[in-house]
Amino acid sequence: MTDSFILGLSSGSACLVTCGMVMFPYLMAGSAGVKRIAIDLSLFLFTRFVIYFILATMAWYFGQAIFSNPLVRNFVPGILYIVFAVMLVWYSISNSRNPKCPAEIVKTVNDKRLVPIFLGVVNSLGFCPALFIILTKGATQGTLLQSYLAFLAFFVGSSLWFLPLPLAGQIQKKEVLKTVGILATGLAGIIFMIKGLTNLIGGIING
Amino acid sequence: MDNTLLSSSLNKSFGKSLLYTLPMFLITFMFMTGGRLNFSDPYSLLATLIAFLLVNILYFMMHYSGKTDRYRVVLFIIFAMSLSFTLIKNMIAIRSSMSFSQADVLECKIPFCHLVIPMMIIPAAFTKSIIFPGSILNGFANISSMVVLWLVATIVLGRGFCSWGCFYGGWDDGFSRIRKRPVIKHINEISRWMPFAVLFMVALTAALTLVPTYCDWICPFKTVTEFEQVTSLESASKAAIFISLFGGLVVVLPILTRKRTQCSFLCPLGAINSLSNKVTPFTVKVDREVCNECFKCVEVCPLYALSREDIRAGKVSIFCSKCGKCVDACTKNAIHYGIKGVPAGHLKNFSRNLFLFVSFLFLAIFSAGAIISSFQSLLKLVF
């Protein structure tokens, strides 16, 4: 669970600064104060939680289906970890990184009450390397409960950054926070790359 | 001619330099000898004398020549090499190997290193325990004395600790001076923030796992100190990682870039020390009135702490370790040691003298034990 939490926490920081500025005005739109913001934020987080719950279930059942073959089980997860971790590292160092947030799509939603739910869906399904890694982890867990726990740790890690979202406008060093967040995401990628390599070597040793 | 006069404004006459060296002479004598010379052991006596002379000659030369980094780096490199030599020698004498076993970990026999500090803070606050298998009060490099030393040094020097107090900085500082011209000249600007990302990750992983993850997996200086016995796939992976990092960030990249790349891109303690630059009274100032924007300072800065924008804005970044390389390189004496609150261009000599005394004292005191010990071993080996 620790590595899932770290993955969520490291990618969440970069996500907050990239997407937070898009989400912030919508989460605040029409709000009358802290209570309204808290309700909107809770809806947003609840939606993410539900989406991750569904993804954990799907990933695990999918994993059971494709990883039943011992040969596949020994090699494929390690390779997937390495591929997605390389993508995550590339995301952190690449200059051509797309700075646009998928959450910008909410501009098309007319009913403002639905915005937090819509944002939750878009944010959870914004297919980034970090999500691919956690999907791989969920798919390779021994039991469904373990898959849920991995996604829960990822959800908690990434959600922590959204809790102070109403204060996002006050953050002065946004660029520094974004830079450190992106670099930390790259480091999380390296952790999973090592995990993938050890899985792969372990798989080779075990035959 | 004008440049020569300006650059020589920091140097002093022979007599005046000697006078400035006198306090250092007395303090280092007391510190190295405890107030009396041990005539019963000629090796120890000779090693102490050589170390004492080395330290004081370097300090004297800083005043006499007006150059800082040129003499600082000599002691800094000798310090790093001596510490590794002494530590390895002791480890081999005690354990017959540079590696430590799980039994050594369980018995808390691992000498404490200041690089662990960033990982200790959160677990210590929440669990009231130290996540490092060392001794709190007893023995060589115990935890309490090392934390106090680092805390005092970092409050006084800020990130100056990285160039005047760090046990390992001399390694990549040394390698960064091998080539005359860099092969790699440019880096991505955001890389300067990497130590903060490393700090974030290691503090987090250490807090979650209650293991000093940086020491366990990453620290490149295990290559020149001590490391875990290779007994499994995991310990082999750790060894591969720290040896690769040492080769890459401490040896190869410093040679190719002429920069201290380990300190610039990896060290989590450097990130904390950068933040402490906000509280230290000493700083490096840019006198815009005399700066001719030649940007030699930017070119020579070993920690990517200076950019052209910084110089144009008349400031240095929080990454500055006050090594003095930019001060030495500036022909106009526009970049200089300063004291916070005093405007740039004022009290240049006073600020430098004060900073040099404090910072060099830290370096001399930190390095004395290791240098004497390694000189003693070398003397025994030769004679």
Side-chain angles (χ1 to χ4, degrees), chain A residues 2 5-6 9-10 92-93 95 97 161 176 179-180 183-184 187-188 191 194 198 201-202 205, chain B residues 188 190-201 204-205 208-209 217 233-234 237 241 278:
Chain A
T2 306
F5 179 74
I6 290 164
L9 200 60
S10 58
S92 73
I93 58 170
N95 284 328
R97 188 187 317 111
W161 293 96
V176 170
T179 304
V180 173
L183 293 171
L187 292 177
I191 293 176
I194 294 165
T198 46
I201 295 168
I205 292 169
Chain B
N188 191 331
I190 71 163
S191 315
R192 296 204 299 175
W193 293 96
M194 186 57 105
F196 284 89
V198 176
L199 173 66
F200 173 73
M201 292 303 281
L204 185 71
T205 49
L208 289 170
T209 60
W217 282 90
L233 179 62
E234 188 180 288
S237 310
I241 290 169
K278 300 257 182 194

Side-chain angles (χ1 to χ4, degrees), chain B residues 69-120:
Chain B
D69 178 68
R70 187 185 295 175
Y71 300 103
R72 175 200 67 82
V73 77
V74 175
L75 192 58
F76 199 48
I77 293 171
I78 292 174
F79 175 29
M81 292 174 72
S82 302
L83 188 101
S84 294
F85 178 77
T86 308
L87 200 73
I88 292 168
K89 187 183 69 116
N90 286 344
M91 294 303 130
I92 289 174
I94 297 167
R95 302 173 189 151
S96 311
S97 162
M98 265 176 79
S99 62
F100 57 81
S101 63
Q102 282 305 310
D104 295 317
V105 173
L106 291 171
E107 289 169 26
C108 292
K109 283 183 177 173
I110 312 298
F112 187 73
C113 159
H114 57 283
L115 297 183
V116 187
I117 293 168
M119 287 161 281
M120 269 174 35

Side-chain angles (χ1 to χ4, degrees), chain B residues 15-327:
Chain B
K16 209 171 176 184
S17 301
L18 213 55
L19 205 62
Y20 273 95
T21 312
L22 195 62
M24 185 64 67
F25 192 87
L26 294 171
I27 294 171
T28 49
F29 179 78
M30 291 303 291
F31 188 82
M32 289 183 185
T33 63
R36 56 184 176 178
L37 291 166
N38 179 12
F39 289 99
S40 59
D41 183 355
Y43 292 117
S44 164
L45 182 69
L46 196 57
T48 307
L49 195 67
I50 294 171
F52 173 73
L53 284 175
L54 172 77
V55 165
N56 284 286
I57 287 171
L58 290 171
Y59 188 66
F60 170 84
M61 287 307 295
M62 280 183 180
H63 284 289
Y64 186 62
S65 68
K67 299 289 181 191
T68 307
D69 178 68
R70 187 185 295 175
Y71 300 103
R72 175 200 67 82
V73 77
V74 175
L75 192 58
F76 199 48
I77 293 171
I78 292 174
F79 175 29
M81 292 174 72
S82 302
L83 188 101
S84 294
F85 178 77
T86 308
L87 200 73
I88 292 168
K89 187 183 69 116
N90 286 344
M91 294 303 130
I92 289 174
I94 297 167
R95 302 173 189 151
S96 311
S97 162
M98 265 176 79
S99 62
F100 57 81
S101 63
Q102 282 305 310
D104 295 317
V105 173
L106 291 171
E107 289 169 26
C108 292
K109 283 183 177 173
I110 312 298
F112 187 73
C113 159
H114 57 283
L115 297 183
V116 187
I117 293 168
M119 287 161 281
M120 269 174 35
I121 301 168
I122 300 173
F126 286 99
T127 66
K128 295 184 175 61
S129 57
I130 304 288
I131 56 161
F132 188 85
S135 166
I136 301 281
L137 289 169
N138 302 320
F140 169 68
N142 64 65
I143 295 171
S144 51
S145 64
M146 295 285 282
V147 171
V148 171
L149 277 175
W150 167 77
L151 200 60
V152 174
T154 206
I155 288 171
V156 176
L157 304 175
R159 207 188 175 188
F161 178 86
C162 300
S163 283
W164 296 88
C166 181
F167 305 165
Y168 310 115
W171 281 103
D172 52 346
D173 206 348
F175 283 112
S176 72
R177 288 163 200 262
I178 287 177
R179 279 185 68 91
K180 282 197 171 174
R181 302 232 173 269
V183 177
I184 301 169
K185 288 181 182 169
H186 301 289
I187 56 133
N188 191 331
E189 189 70 9
I190 71 163
S191 315
R192 296 204 299 175
W193 293 96
M194 186 57 105
F196 284 89
V198 176
L199 173 66
F200 173 73
M201 292 303 281
V202 296
L204 185 71
T205 49
L208 289 170
T209 60
L210 298 182
V211 170
T213 41
Y214 184 80
C215 319
D216 207 24
W217 282 90
I218 303 170
C219 182
F221 294 110
K222 288 197 288 188
T223 313
V224 287
T225 52
E226 57 175 350
F227 48 84
E228 186 184 336
Q229 258 173 6
V230 177
T231 52
S232 62
L233 179 62
E234 188 180 288
S235 53
S237 310
K238 289 175 185 174
I241 290 169
F242 75 74
I243 292 170
S244 311
L245 285 172
F246 186 83
L249 288 174
V250 183
V251 181
V252 178
L253 276 176
I255 292 173
L256 297 179
T257 58
R258 280 184 59 81
K259 306 282 181 187
R260 290 166 61 180
T261 46
Q262 191 281 144
C263 309
S264 304
F265 303 137
L266 187 69
C267 183
L269 194 71
I272 289 192
N273 289 340
S274 293
L275 295 176
S276 70
N277 260 352
K278 300 257 182 194
V279 294
T280 170
F282 299 109
T283 185
V284 170
K285 290 186 180 264
V286 183
D287 186 355
R288 289 291 309 149
E289 286 184 13
V290 287
C291 178
N292 62 354
E293 296 192 353
C294 67
F295 300 119
K296 273 187 187 156
C297 48
V298 177
E299 197 182 305
V300 299
C301 178
L303 289 172
Y304 298 99
L306 290 172
S307 66
R308 290 181 175 223
E309 291 71 32
D310 291 334
I311 297 300
R312 286 191 188 108
K315 58 172 189 176
V316 298
S317 74
I318 59 165
F319 304 108
C320 175
S321 72
K322 306 174 186 76
C323 64
K325 208 169 181 181
C326 55
V327 181

Side-chain angles (χ1 to χ4, degrees), chain A residues 22 30 57 154 157 166 178 193:
Chain A
V22 177
T57 313
F154 182 74
K178 182 181 174 182
M193 213 185 289

